[in-house]
Amino acid sequence: SRAVLGGGRAPLSAGSRASIQTALRTLLAVPWPSQRDVGSALQLLAVLQWVLSFLLLGIVSLLLLIYLLFTSFWLIPVLYLAWIIFDWDTPEKGGRRLPCLRRWTVWKHFRDYFPVKLVKTHDLSPRHNYIIGSHPHGILCVGAFCNFITGSTGFEELFPGIRSSLTTLAGNFRLPVFREYLMSGGLFPVTRRAIGYLLSQKGTGNAVAIVIGGAAESLSCRPGVTTLILRNRKGFVRMALRHGAFLVPSFSFGENDLFRQVVFEEGSWMRSIQRRFQKMIGFAPCLFYGRGLTSCRSRGFLPYARPITTVVGEPLAVPKVENPSRELVDRYHELYISALLKLFNENKTKYGLSESDELHIL
């Protein structure tokens, strides 16, 4: 026929045209996501990548490198192992901070998910160094990470001339790839060597944040209860005295509301297992849950969207004493506890607690 010989196409039937028009109208009728919906999705993705990075990045990287050893790509893990051996002491010698990582836009979405807010009560002079006590630990230290590692809450603007860093378990820096991720953000091992280096080799204007309660405190983390493990934690005071670093209390209101945890009573066999794990591997295995990925009503491993307000208190001047006595350490430890209690009581009703709520220190 003429259509076949000329290479032409048969015209669309009326029914086909109607079907295409109906499909187009249906597509155009679908509501586009609002700016608020897009923002919520970005916030959820920002929190998801952070949780997955801290819970899985190190283990997955280790397993991947072991797998590659038995493939034709065996040279990659061998070279990386050689690099780790060569670079072994870097985390305790100032790390390898990348300022651009602190300014990632993703951290603004992370901040807005909860949201997280930083409150300044007193100035910090760049002429001194500081040890900031961060309380409470919570499950994943969201407030400490967001305020002292990312630039999303304006720490550098609120405290000009002060460089903040955060300490975490030394074992995290033995995990491949994860160690690079931690160092690039300004995290350091919570060891005397690492903290001493930051307070003695980096000039002044350094603020080292330490989550003093540590893994033991996470076992008591649950909404409505504010219990700190602090009474016998005095190593940070001794470090402050040796380097003349001022002590600064800080408290993250709302940190304990991000997850729900199955808390086992003291003396129970499950509690003893948690304690043993804590002593062997440095952290306590907690049975906790949060919201799911698709709905805030489902259960999952993401934190609930609850506001966190981190209040940084008044610096406590500390003299430089090379070998502080036990009595001197105890004195400044008590002064620090008094300053922390004052900070808590002056701000608790402003940020979600009642006048009757108390801070329990064990």
Side-chain angles (χ1 to χ4, degrees):
S1 68
R2 189 165 47 191
V4 173
L5 293 174
R9 297 179 180 175
L12 292 172
S13 65
S16 299
R17 287 197 300 270
S19 298
I20 293 176
Q21 290 172 356
T22 301
L24 288 174
R25 283 196 295 268
T26 302
L27 181 62
L28 293 175
V30 175
W32 288 89
S34 65
Q35 186 175 359
R36 181 178 179 181
D37 293 335
V38 173
S40 298
L42 290 174
Q43 292 170 15
L44 192 63
L45 289 174
V47 173
L48 176 64
Q49 66 82 26
W50 179 78
V51 171
L52 291 179
S53 296
F54 271 82
L55 295 182
L56 297 178
L57 180 59
I59 298 299
V60 171
S61 299
L62 178 61
L63 294 176
L64 178 60
L65 289 174
I66 293 174
Y67 168 76
L68 291 177
L69 276 174
F70 302 96
T71 69
S72 57
F73 299 100
W74 60 269
L75 188 59
I76 294 176
V78 169
L79 290 176
Y80 187 72
L81 177 60
W83 162 252
I84 288 183
I85 294 174
F86 173 78
D87 196 53
W88 191 259
D89 291 334
T90 298
E92 293 188 317
K93 291 185 176 180
R96 209 167 21 248
R97 184 196 300 257
L98 294 178
C100 61
L101 186 65
R102 297 168 69 95
R103 296 192 294 268
W104 271 5
T105 304
V106 69
W107 300 131
K108 294 182 180 179
H109 297 304
F110 180 87
R111 171 201 65 195
D112 294 338
Y113 171 83
F114 299 96
V116 182
K117 181 182 179 182
L118 180 64
V119 176
K120 166 186 173 180
T121 61
H122 293 78
D123 291 330
L124 299 182
S125 171
R127 297 193 302 270
H128 304 289
N129 284 325
Y130 304 90
I131 290 181
I132 300 178
S134 180
H135 311 274
H137 182 284
I139 297 294
L140 293 179
C141 303
V142 172
F145 177 86
C146 192
N147 288 298
F148 303 128
I149 290 301
T150 79
S152 61
T153 57
F155 183 93
E156 294 179 352
E157 290 74 24
L158 287 173
F159 302 101
I162 304 297
R163 297 176 297 276
S164 64
S165 56
L166 179 64
T167 58
T168 185
L169 290 173
N172 289 330
F173 295 88
R174 306 298 178 242
L175 294 172
V177 181
F178 190 44
R179 69 190 295 273
E180 322 299 340
Y181 177 77
L182 294 176
M183 282 193 291
S184 64
L187 284 105
F188 301 90
V190 60
T191 62
R192 293 180 182 178
R193 185 182 180 191
I195 297 172
Y197 188 94
L198 292 171
L199 297 176
S200 63
Q201 303 296 320
K202 291 287 187 175
T204 59
N206 299 290
V208 182
I210 303 175
V211 186
I212 297 169
E217 194 171 279
S218 65
L219 295 178
S220 302
C221 168
R222 61 183 185 270
V225 178
T226 310
T227 301
L228 304 184
I229 305 298
L230 178 59
R231 190 65 64 184
N232 295 318
R233 300 290 175 98
K234 301 179 181 181
F236 72 103
V237 177
R238 186 172 288 104
M239 289 295 297
L241 285 164
R242 285 178 177 173
H243 297 280
F246 288 16
L247 289 169
V248 183
S250 74
F251 196 93
S252 293
F253 294 91
E255 182 74 45
N256 285 351
D257 298 329
L258 304 183
F259 294 95
R260 301 292 183 268
Q261 181 182 185
V262 179
V263 179
F264 300 100
E265 296 298 328
E266 290 290 346
S268 64
W269 65 274
M270 280 298 297
R271 189 71 161 198
S272 64
I273 290 176
Q274 289 177 316
R275 295 290 189 193
R276 289 176 185 176
F277 265 90
Q278 177 194 333
K279 291 179 180 179
M280 288 189 297
I281 60 180
F283 69 91
C286 303
L287 296 179
F288 67 90
Y289 65 89
R291 58 156 292 177
L293 182 60
T294 58
S295 171
C296 60
R297 296 181 179 86
S298 61
R299 291 188 179 184
F301 56 88
L302 296 179
Y304 291 108
R306 302 286 188 268
I308 303 172
T309 303
T310 300
V311 185
V312 179
E314 182 179 3
L316 173 64
V318 175
K320 185 175 182 179
V321 181
E322 187 68 27
N323 294 302
S325 63
R326 179 180 299 180
E327 291 75 16
L328 188 62
V329 171
D330 289 344
R331 175 189 171 193
Y332 277 93
H333 186 258
E334 287 299 323
L335 290 174
Y336 176 84
I337 291 178
S338 297
L340 177 61
L341 287 170
K342 178 183 177 183
L343 178 72
F344 177 83
N345 290 324
E346 288 180 350
N347 292 278
K348 61 183 180 182
T349 57
K350 300 177 185 177
Y351 305 115
L353 300 180
S354 66
E355 188 65 42
S356 60
D357 285 321
E358 296 181 355
L359 185 61
H360 303 282
I361 297 179
L362 302 180

